Amino acid sequence: TRSSDLNAHANPGEMVTIPLIINNTQDVYGVQVFLTSAPAYISGIAVGTTTYHDFSNWTVEGNNVGDQYRILLFNTSLNNPLPQGTGHIADISLFVDANAPIGTVVQLFMEEVVVVDQNNIPMHTELFESNVYIGTPDAIYSIGDVNESSQTITIDLENTAPVYVTELDLADAPDGIQITNVAPTGRFNGSVDGQSGETEDGIGYILAYDLASGIAVGSGPILEISYDIRMDTGFFGDVITWLSSVSSADASLNAIPSSGDGFAILDANLNVETDILAPIKFSLHPAFPNPFNPTTNIRYDLPHAGYVVLRVFDLAGREIRTLARGFDLSGSRSVVWDGRDNHGRNVSAGVYIYRLEASGLVESQKMVLLK
C-alpha cells in the first residue's frame, strides 16, 4: 500500500487543503495516519472523504494529538472495504499559523501509518512526503490538461516574475509512467535539455530554459509531456502522478520562489465507456439553494480532465474563499460552501460571485447569503 498527501501553498493565517491518496493492491478496511509538520507552523482542522468510495458506514475522524494530527478512516461494518486500486480518498483541511514566515517550506510527514485488512492485520506501506510553501511564490507550477487518448500531460505555469530556467521532478505511484518526450508548448519557446526524461529511480526529470527572453509574466501551459503506461511492473489499477520537486531561476540564474501544486490520476485501463459518460460541455450550474443559509451546493461539469479553480468573490472583486484548486478528472462535481472565508470566519450576508476556471474557460454565477 502506498499513501501520499501532496504539495500546496498558502498564506499565513489561511486554510489549505491537501488530498490523501492511496494505492492498494488488496482490499483496505482501515487507515490511520499521524500527520506532522516541520517546522510546526501547520495544524490539522478537519478531514472529509471524497466520492471515490461510499464511506457512509465508515468511521471518519480527525483530531489533534500533541503536535500531530491524527486521521482515522475505518470500515465499521467490515463489509465495505476500499477496493484495490488508486484513489483520492480524503481531503485534509489544515491551518497555517498567522506568524509563519513568508517563504518557509513546511514539510508534512505521515508517521505511524497503519493500513489494515479484514483481520485488522497491518499491511506493508510506502509513504511520500509533502511540502507547503508559506506565502504566494513567484512561480506556481501545476499539472494542466491530461489527454489520456494521446497520452499527453501539460505543465502549466503561473508566474509573477520572468522565469528563465525551470527544473521539475514528476513522481508517480506506483512506478508505472514512462516519459517518452518533453516538448515546449504555449508560452514557452525555449529548449528542453536532452537529459529530460525518466531517471533510473523512476522519477521524471525535466530541465527547460530560455536564457534569451525567458517566460514572461502570465499563466498558461509551458510544456507537453508524452508518456506510456508500463503494464509490466505488477501494479494494480490507476497511476497517480504529481510534481514532487520544482525550482526556477531568473536571468542571472538566481533562484525564484516556486511551488508545484496538484496531481493527476491516469487510468491504466482506459475504456470507451468512461469517455462516453463524461459531460459534453463545460458548465457551472446555479447554486442550490439560492438564496441560502447556512450552506449551498455548487455543481459544475468538466468534459475533460484538467486543472480546476473554483473561488468565491464579493461584489468588490475580493477573493473570499477558494473551494477547489487542483487537477480533476472529467465528470460532474458538487462542492459545498458553508459561508466562511479562507480564514474560517463567517462572512456577512449579501451577494457573492462564484467563478469556475478550467482549461482556459471561465464561468461565473451569483448567489445570495441570508442571515
Side-chain angles (χ1 to χ4, degrees):
T1 301
R2 294 175 171 91
S3 298
S4 62
D5 48 15
L6 308 179
N7 302 322
H9 68 275
N11 291 316
E14 290 187 352
M15 291 193 299
V16 60
T17 300
I18 59 173
L20 180 62
I21 311 292
I22 189 169
N23 170 261
N24 50 304
T25 56
Q26 57 181 301
D27 290 351
V28 168
Y29 288 78
V31 178
Q32 180 173 263
V33 176
F34 284 85
L35 195 64
T36 303
S37 70
Y41 291 127
I42 293 180
S43 56
I45 294 179
V47 58
T49 55
T50 68
T51 57
Y52 171 74
H53 182 69
D54 178 11
F55 289 98
S56 57
N57 57 356
W58 282 61
T59 296
V60 180
E61 297 178 353
N63 51 69
N64 289 291
V65 179
D67 59 356
Q68 296 179 310
Y69 187 64
R70 173 180 173 268
I71 299 158
L72 174 67
L73 294 89
F74 185 74
N75 178 211
T76 52
S77 66
L78 295 179
N79 62 7
N80 181 27
L82 279 171
Q84 303 173 48
T86 302
H88 170 197
I89 63 172
D91 287 314
I92 306 168
S93 297
L94 306 169
F95 181 76
V96 180
D97 191 298
N99 297 315
I102 295 291
T104 302
V105 177
V106 178
Q107 291 183 297
L108 297 176
F109 301 95
M110 290 192 294
E111 300 179 332
E112 302 177 51
V113 176
V114 179
V115 179
V116 297
D117 63 13
Q118 188 174 16
N119 298 312
N120 208 32
I121 297 175
M123 303 178 188
H124 170 73
T125 59
E126 296 179 25
L127 309 175
F128 299 92
E129 299 173 3
S130 298
N131 296 316
V132 176
Y133 181 93
I134 306 301
T136 302
D138 293 330
I140 303 172
Y141 297 89
S142 60
I143 293 179
D145 289 337
V146 175
N147 188 325
E148 293 185 283
S149 297
S150 62
Q151 293 191 310
T152 57
I153 300 171
T154 62
I155 301 298
D156 291 356
L157 170 63
E158 180 180 351
N159 56 310
T160 56
V163 172
Y164 287 77
V165 179
T166 290
E167 196 170 14
L168 309 173
D169 283 346
L170 189 70
D172 57 344
D175 182 16
I177 296 177
Q178 176 72 51
I179 292 178
T180 58
N181 188 57
V182 182
T185 191
R187 303 193 300 127
F188 177 54
N189 298 310
S191 302
V192 176
D193 188 85
Q195 298 181 49
S196 296
E198 196 82 6
T199 61
E200 290 183 1
D201 59 2
I203 298 294
Y205 172 76
I206 300 167
L207 175 61
Y209 53 88
D210 184 347
L211 300 180
S213 55
I215 303 173
V217 171
S219 62
I222 60 168
L223 295 168
E224 182 179 80
I225 300 171
S226 300
Y227 67 91
D228 282 334
I229 297 287
R230 296 204 304 264
M231 303 302 292
D232 58 349
T233 53
F235 69 89
F236 182 94
D238 301 335
V239 180
I240 179 176
T241 184
W242 70 98
L243 293 168
S244 58
S245 176
V246 302
S247 60
S248 311
D250 61 18
S252 301
L253 302 184
N254 297 313
I256 296 174
S258 307
S259 74
D261 297 354
F263 65 95
I265 295 179
L266 307 177
D267 188 350
N269 303 289
L270 187 65
N271 58 65
V272 175
E273 181 181 3
T274 301
D275 288 344
I276 292 174
L277 295 176
I280 61 174
K281 181 182 178 182
F282 173 80
S283 181
L284 178 63
H285 297 279
F288 181 83
N290 187 20
F292 69 96
N293 180 14
T295 64
T296 189
N297 289 276
I298 299 172
R299 293 192 306 112
Y300 56 92
D301 298 329
L302 301 174
H304 307 290
Y307 194 77
V308 175
V309 180
L310 177 63
R311 293 181 288 180
V312 178
F313 298 86
D314 63 18
L315 291 180
R318 294 181 292 255
E319 180 182 318
I320 301 299
R321 180 75 176 270
T322 298
L323 297 175
R325 181 189 293 273
F327 176 86
D328 205 350
L329 300 174
S330 62
S332 298
R333 301 288 181 266
S334 179
V335 178
V336 175
W337 184 40
D338 58 3
R340 298 177 184 270
D341 63 14
N342 284 327
H343 303 280
R345 301 172 301 200
N346 290 316
V347 301
S348 59
V351 179
Y352 292 88
I353 308 294
Y354 57 103
R355 185 172 73 194
L356 177 68
E357 304 169 54
S359 302
L361 301 174
V362 179
E363 280 197 20
S364 299
Q365 297 261 13
K366 290 183 179 180
M367 55 186 169
V368 179
L369 172 60
L370 302 177
K371 292 294 185 180

